[in-house]
Amino acid sequence: MFNKRAIVKIVFLFTMLAFLVPIAQATVEDDNAYAIAKQNACLGCHAINKKIVGPSFQSVAEKYKNTPGAQAFLKNKIAKGGSGSWGVVPMPANTKLSDADLSALTGWVLRGAPSKN
């Protein structure tokens, strides 16, 4: 049968695998959301960690981190555009984004827009 050392190694390997699978999935989701932001000109006004015309994605994440319904609010703001949350400069509506794209994008922004790009 197995000795204790082999069992410890097997348990360790399965634990590491269980830990790494969600990280790999998050990376794929983050890459997808970054691509959506890039394809839809979000990065023309927003950066990950600094203000351009609009706030940085990290600033948005910080502002809404403890806000119930933040994702629904941001999905609506991105889809319909508007102004007032961050000043007087209006954000244009992004009506061509699907609900799935809006969900991916807002989830990514609320996580602080992690990106290797």
Side-chain angles (χ1 to χ4, degrees):
M1 297 289 315
F2 292 108
N3 64 34
K4 289 181 183 179
R5 189 174 177 96
I7 292 172
V8 169
K9 285 181 181 180
I10 291 169
V11 170
F12 175 77
L13 290 173
F14 278 108
T15 302
M16 290 305 298
L17 181 62
F19 176 74
L20 293 175
V21 168
I23 291 173
Q25 181 64 31
T27 301
V28 170
E29 291 172 3
D30 293 344
D31 290 347
N32 180 50
Y34 181 83
I36 293 167
K38 191 173 181 181
Q39 292 166 357
N40 290 280
C42 302
L43 300 172
C45 295
H46 301 277
I48 297 202
N49 60 0
K50 65 180 178 182
K51 177 179 174 42
I52 300 178
V53 174
S56 72
F57 294 133
Q58 290 176 349
S59 294
V60 174
E62 182 64 28
K63 180 174 182 173
Y64 295 106
K65 71 179 176 183
N66 294 317
T67 303
Q71 187 162 18
F73 173 78
L74 292 176
K75 284 172 66 173
N76 185 58
K77 186 66 109 170
I78 293 168
K80 296 182 179 177
S83 64
S85 295
W86 294 90
V88 296
V89 177
M91 184 171 83
N94 291 278
T95 57
K96 66 180 180 175
L97 287 172
S98 69
D99 188 63
D101 285 349
L102 287 167
S103 292
L105 191 56
T106 54
W108 176 69
V109 169
L110 289 169
R111 288 191 304 278
S115 176
K116 60 185 175 198
N117 298 313

